[in-house]
């Protein structure tokens, strides 16, 4: 069970990293919107490191919402880009 949980965590981390890097590479949106998901991801990593300094309450309260916000913003930007690139005349 612990192995499956570790694999799930690694998969979520990998998906989050892929989404944030994908958004960072989109050139047709403003720079602050490209940087926001990656910034949120790095802030969540920094708050997760607070566990190493024996401050788990702050890490538990802040890291997950930052990861969730980074995923939501990344997926939103990726979907918006796909809609823009599909154009109004294409089918699908």
């Amino acid at each position: 069970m612990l192995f499956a949980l570790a694999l799930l965590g690694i998969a979520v981390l990998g998906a989050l990293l892929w989404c944030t890097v994908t958004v960072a590479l989109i050139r047709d949106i403003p720079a602050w919107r490209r940087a926001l998901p990656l910034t949120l991801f790095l802030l969540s990593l920094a708050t997760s490191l607070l566990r190493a300094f024996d401050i788990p309450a702050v890490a538990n309260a802040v890291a997950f919402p930052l990861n969730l916000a980074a995923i939501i913003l990344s997926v939103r930007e990726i979907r918006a880009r796909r809609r823009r690139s599909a154009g109004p005349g294409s089918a699908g």
Side-chain angles (χ1 to χ4, degrees):
M1 181 67 182
L2 185 60
F3 182 71
L5 187 61
L7 284 178
L8 179 67
I10 291 170
V12 169
L13 182 67
L16 177 60
L17 187 60
W18 176 81
C19 285
T20 56
V21 169
T22 300
V23 171
L25 296 176
I26 296 174
R27 294 291 175 204
D28 57 340
I29 59 175
W32 68 270
R33 282 177 46 196
R34 286 194 312 257
L36 186 60
L38 188 59
T39 304
L40 290 173
F41 174 62
L42 293 175
L43 281 173
S44 72
L45 285 179
T47 56
S48 292
L49 285 176
L50 290 175
R51 289 185 183 101
F53 295 104
D54 203 25
I55 311 173
V58 176
N60 292 337
V62 176
F64 178 72
L66 286 174
N67 278 330
L68 192 62
I71 289 173
I72 290 170
L73 287 173
S74 296
V75 169
R76 183 173 170 243
E77 290 293 343
I78 292 169
R79 286 183 179 171
R81 178 181 181 223
R82 286 182 182 160
R83 278 194 306 266
R84 282 191 305 270
S85 66
S90 64

